[in-house]
Amino acid sequence: MADSGPTLSNLSTESRSFPPSEEFAAQANATEEWYARGDDDREGFWAEQADRLHWHQKWDQVLDWQPPFAKWFVNGKLNVAYNCVDRHVDEGHGEQVAFHWEGEPGDSRTITYADLKSEVSKAANALTELGVQAGDRVAIQLPMIPEAVISMLACARLGAMHSVVFGGFSPGALKARIEDAECKLLITSDGQFRRGKPAPMKENTDEAVKDTPSIEHVLVVKRTETEVPWTEGRDVWWHDLVDKQSDEHEVQAFDAEHPLFILYTSGTTGKPKGILHTSGGYLTQAAYTHHVVFDHKPGESVYWCTADIGWITGHSYIVYGPLANRATSVLYEGTPNTPHEGRHWEIVQKHGVSIYYTAPTLIRTFMKWGKEIPEKYDLSSLKVLGSVGEPINPEAWMWYRENIGHDRCPIVDTWWQTETGAIMIAPLPGVTATKPGSAMRTIPGISAEVVSEEAEPVGVGGGGYLVLDKPWPSMLRGIWGDEERYKDTYWSRFADQGYYFAGDGAKYDDDGAIWLLGRVDDVMNVSGHRISTTEVESALVSHPTVAEAAVVGAADETTGQGIVAFVILRGNAAKDGGEDAIKALRDHVSKEIGPIAKPKKILVVEELPKTRSGKIMRRLLRDVAENRDVGDVSTLADSTVMDLISTGLKDGK
Ligand code: ATP
Ligand code: MG
């Protein structure tokens, strides 16, 4: 659809498709029939899913929808932590492993459900002693250690909201989040291991709470045995306070709509938003999706989600979904190349991991490191592979399928957001055929549309804005303290239709499969064609010399915008980033998706600016391409990257 306005041009074509194997289908948790059930009686379908949980009191209405405000499972009462922990012990599974924890320096811990119950109860008693009550906010900045999960569950048990802040965030970023939510307690650690070395943590958190009057106490887990500054009266060691508590804690039921947590978005497009999630609907959808999208079998599967608990993926798919489903999970503290580039595969082999869930940025990194690395390990335990966080380029998808999944494991590309709380668009393994780069279709119970500027469905073959046209149980209930921003950000764009505006571009292919095309803010307009950055990037990545690519549209007098590409070349090719190599790349894009998408400029760089969750921040590259000072870099993982890129360009590279 080449036109000047509302819809996105549908450029690339992908014809590879992988139907589910009969063997997998025969044992899959879901069937094709679920889709129809989810459509025909949406509320009945979700009521069935809510029955996965233990309710202290059953709801009397599934959904109360006063757009844009939803209440799910009205008057139902439950305790989220009870559902994730005690219930399994009560049902006789106390000896099942909840977490195989792997520390970065090589230490490890095995935590059963009975252990978890006793640890969470002690922590809940400790938090109560520190004055934490239902409705209070607790900030958590911890490395990926068991105490991080225990702290979250202790808050949930007490009905206090946690606000987890990624361990790599600066004091300023932590302070802003503490202030926004007026947190009463901060849980942190003395230090954290990063690439084999202890790095300070408490020094940073101290700086963050220097003048945040809402903070009454700082609870400190000992992890690295680093000397730390100490404020008497305010600071408390975890081992002093928690270890001495009783491991009995009486559980209390909260309303289905009781707030569970606040989590700030990644900040890829701008200032992070404090997304509020509540209890019953959130846990229902987290558990249901973890069950069907990963084909999880309690007591049998070994599950590993590589995200950090500081992101929504860590909340829904390390903590709440898997624990509600009585999963045995791997929890890994460190970076993927410490002490060597085979660390993930070594862990998969050690624990017989069957479900592995990661992000495209890491898959592209594994590609850069080479397939010889996973080849050294036994990956035969793997059954399902997942991807989340960004559109996955078809070449990265194929690499993942061949070199990690050995052409045997279905890949589930899962689209969702901090705001959606749980997976919304993904194939179901054993049910849905998969295509490299496509998230395929909405899961049963969920409804989405791709629409034009005028809210018209674009139909098969068309591209436009992704909207969610029906409420869903784990939807955000607001932005903390800012109702106007909530309405404005998500509900004003298609106010007449009452659609939730996701901010992402998408298209349907000729079979009606959904392809995510990146953020609407990143869509380029070249001579009247609205072109997706994702499609041009995928074309570049499909060239054998390119490891990673980021594409932006820069103001251009004749064409409106011109395509500027930043590419990282693979090992050997990097030595030859000369004019011929660049011309070959431009021709390759032209051949793959058409002359209209040929980049005007291709710049070879060493690194790309990424958020701490590993997503490319195109808005900063747009600043560079248009010779502006770069905007807010506070959520950037490595702030020196922008200097490197800008200087490299001035040097005429
Ligand atoms: P901010 O909203 O602060 O800019 P963010 O959108 O990166 O940050 P998240 O909620 O962590 O914060 O990410 C959700 C976004 O990630 C989605 O809107 C989408 O752009 C992208 N995304 C996640 N999963 C996928 C996927 N499977 N395919 C394509 N894009 C995805
Ligand atoms: Mg977002």
Side-chain angles (χ1 to χ4, degrees):
M1 248 188 228
D3 60 44
S4 54
T7 54
L8 263 106
S9 301
N10 194 346
L11 296 175
S12 62
T13 50
E14 171 62 63
S15 52
R16 294 168 286 196
S17 174
F18 300 92
S21 75
E22 274 176 34
E23 197 189 341
F24 199 110
Q27 58 83 66
N29 286 349
T31 61
E32 180 68 35
E33 182 249 338
W34 289 43
Y35 287 107
R37 276 202 308 166
D39 283 342
D40 297 346
D41 176 13
R42 200 170 303 280
E43 291 183 18
F45 179 82
W46 283 115
E48 262 177 55
Q49 304 315 323
D51 275 333
R52 298 174 181 281
L53 307 180
H54 174 85
W55 294 83
H56 282 73
Q57 182 183 305
K58 181 115 176 167
W59 60 88
D60 43 44
Q61 188 186 347
V62 174
L63 171 65
D64 172 7
W65 179 223
Q66 316 275 344
F69 301 102
K71 289 190 182 128
W72 281 86
F73 309 113
V74 181
N75 291 329
K77 292 202 178 350
L78 79 170
N79 185 290
V80 169
Y82 176 83
N83 271 284
C84 291
V85 185
D86 308 41
R87 176 166 64 122
H88 308 312
V89 179
D90 293 351
E91 289 170 4
H93 301 289
E95 294 315 303
Q96 186 185 320
V97 174
F99 289 107
H100 292 291
W101 176 73
E102 293 289 334
E104 198 191 70
D107 49 342
S108 60
R109 259 173 87 181
T110 306
I111 299 166
T112 64
Y113 275 95
D115 297 336
L116 197 59
K117 181 180 169 198
S118 122
E119 296 297 324
V120 172
S121 299
K122 282 192 206 169
N125 285 322
L127 262 53
T128 305
E129 196 176 317
L130 292 177
V132 174
Q133 293 177 351
D136 287 343
R137 275 82 58 203
V138 175
I140 300 175
Q141 188 175 44
L142 281 171
M144 290 285 286
I145 54 178
E147 287 79 1
V149 178
I150 294 165
S151 298
M152 290 165 76
L153 292 168
C155 290
R157 198 170 175 102
L158 297 173
M161 283 168 254
H162 52 70
S163 164
V164 183
V165 179
F166 175 62
F169 267 130
S170 67
L174 174 61
K175 181 176 161 55
R177 285 162 179 74
I178 288 176
E179 281 178 341
D180 187 59
E182 295 173 286
C183 297
K184 196 168 181 179
L185 173 70
L186 167 67
I187 309 181
T188 188
S189 64
D190 53 350
Q192 60 180 333
F193 289 106
R194 228 53 199 151
R195 300 188 192 285
K197 283 200 268 325
M201 184 82 133
K202 175 132 194 319
E203 275 163 44
N204 294 347
T205 52
D206 267 8
E207 198 182 323
V209 297
K210 228 174 22 210
D211 34 43
T212 45
S214 64
I215 291 286
E216 293 172 6
H217 289 286
V218 178
L219 184 58
V220 190
V221 179
K222 193 168 260 185
R223 172 60 185 136
T224 51
E225 306 276 342
T226 321
E227 287 262 337
V228 290
W230 202 254
T231 304
E232 282 305 329
R234 184 196 69 185
D235 298 351
V236 187
W237 282 112
W238 177 283
H239 58 263
D240 282 344
L241 182 72
V242 179
D243 289 0
K244 67 171 192 212
Q245 301 290 330
S246 151
D247 60 3
E248 301 277 325
H249 180 269
E250 197 174 334
V251 78
Q252 185 192 343
F254 293 98
D255 193 87
E257 285 299 331
H258 188 81
L260 182 62
F261 63 82
I262 301 168
L263 180 65
Y264 293 81
T265 53
S266 315
T268 310
T269 51
K271 184 171 172 270
K273 303 168 275 281
I275 303 301
L276 176 69
H277 282 288
T278 59
S279 303
Y282 170 80
L283 194 63
T284 296
Q285 195 173 331
Y288 155 69
T289 49
H290 176 258
H291 178 76
V292 293
V293 176
F294 299 111
D295 203 54
H296 175 261
K297 313 269 197 264
E300 198 181 305
S301 305
V302 178
Y303 168 83
W304 183 14
C305 166
T306 71
D308 190 278
I309 47 138
W311 312 122
I312 189 69
T313 307
H315 283 54
S316 304
Y317 298 108
I318 292 178
V319 182
Y320 293 111
L323 291 174
N325 289 340
R326 186 165 51 87
T328 293
S329 299
V330 167
L331 185 66
Y332 174 52
E333 181 183 33
T335 46
N337 51 352
T338 308
H340 55 79
E341 291 170 348
R343 187 72 191 262
H344 274 213
W345 317 123
E346 184 179 74
I347 292 175
V348 166
Q349 175 178 292
K350 175 174 173 189
H351 294 293
V353 170
S354 54
I355 304 166
Y356 177 81
Y357 188 27
T358 195
T361 181
L362 200 54
I363 298 167
R364 291 189 301 258
T365 304
F366 291 143
M367 283 172 80
K368 229 183 306 181
W369 291 344
K371 64 181 171 43
E372 307 73 44
I373 292 173
E375 264 167 12
K376 288 188 229 148
Y377 299 88
D378 178 6
L379 305 182
S380 61
S381 58
L382 289 169
K383 282 193 163 163
V384 177
L385 302 177
S387 171
V388 63
E390 283 182 293
I392 176 165
N393 318 111
E395 286 320 303
W397 193 102
M398 285 305 296
W399 188 93
Y400 196 25
R401 180 179 162 89
E402 286 162 9
N403 297 290
I404 307 303
H406 298 164
D407 290 322
R408 180 190 74 238
C409 305
I411 296 182
V412 289
D413 175 13
T414 62
W415 178 89
W416 58 296
Q417 311 177 297
T418 309
E419 295 88 340
T420 69
I423 294 170
M424 304 292 281
I425 306 177
L428 298 183
V431 181
T432 323
T434 56
K435 295 181 184 190
S438 170
M440 301 308 294
R441 64 189 291 189
T442 47
I443 58 165
I446 296 299
S447 178
E449 259 298 352
V450 181
V451 299
S452 69
E453 194 95 23
E454 288 76 37
E456 297 293 336
V458 295
V460 164
Y465 301 104
L466 178 70
V467 297
L468 302 169
D469 57 349
K470 303 262 167 31
W472 63 101
S474 63
M475 63 194 285
L476 76 164
R477 300 303 198 263
I479 294 180
W480 182 254
D482 200 343
E483 195 173 300
E484 279 314 303
R485 195 175 177 204
Y486 169 68
K487 290 186 192 154
D488 192 54
T489 311
Y490 309 108
W491 303 97
S492 65
R493 188 74 181 66
F494 296 105
D496 293 345
Q497 296 74 21
Y499 294 162
Y500 168 91
F501 173 60
D504 285 343
K507 71 175 186 190
Y508 290 117
D509 67 14
D510 294 339
D511 300 328
I514 300 175
W515 294 71
L516 275 306
L517 297 177
R519 291 148 201 285
V520 172
D521 301 356
D522 290 337
V523 168
M524 305 173 287
N525 194 330
V526 183
S527 306
H529 294 263
R530 287 169 58 79
I531 296 175
S532 128
T533 48
T534 302
E535 291 189 323
V536 181
E537 287 163 8
S538 290
L540 285 163
V541 174
S542 75
H543 192 274
T545 60
V546 177
E548 278 210 76
V551 163
V552 298
D556 182 292
E557 274 175 21
T558 40
T559 56
Q561 282 187 318
I563 300 180
V564 179
F566 297 79
V567 298
I568 303 180
L569 297 178
R570 289 195 194 214
N572 283 337
K575 295 186 201 91
D576 172 37
E579 253 171 62
D580 289 352
I582 300 289
K583 180 172 181 305
L585 287 182
R586 297 181 69 228
D587 291 345
H588 177 73
V589 175
S590 179
K591 187 175 116 270
E592 287 292 302
I593 55 180
I596 184 75
K598 199 168 178 165
K600 194 175 105 186
K601 231 192 218 172
I602 296 185
L603 304 158
V604 176
V605 292
E606 303 273 319
E607 284 295 343
L608 290 170
K610 290 188 181 162
T611 60
R612 285 159 205 268
S613 53
K615 300 182 200 204
I616 299 170
M617 282 170 91
R618 291 178 193 74
R619 66 180 165 89
L620 300 181
L621 293 173
R622 214 155 37 224
D623 291 341
V624 172
E626 294 182 341
N627 299 316
R628 262 193 314 275
D629 285 344
V630 294
D632 180 12
V633 293
S634 61
T635 53
L636 201 62
D638 176 358
S639 56
T640 60
V641 168
M642 288 317 296
D643 297 339
L644 252 172
I645 292 173
S646 310
T647 329
L649 298 187
K650 282 196 201 99
D651 293 350
K653 269 214 271 182

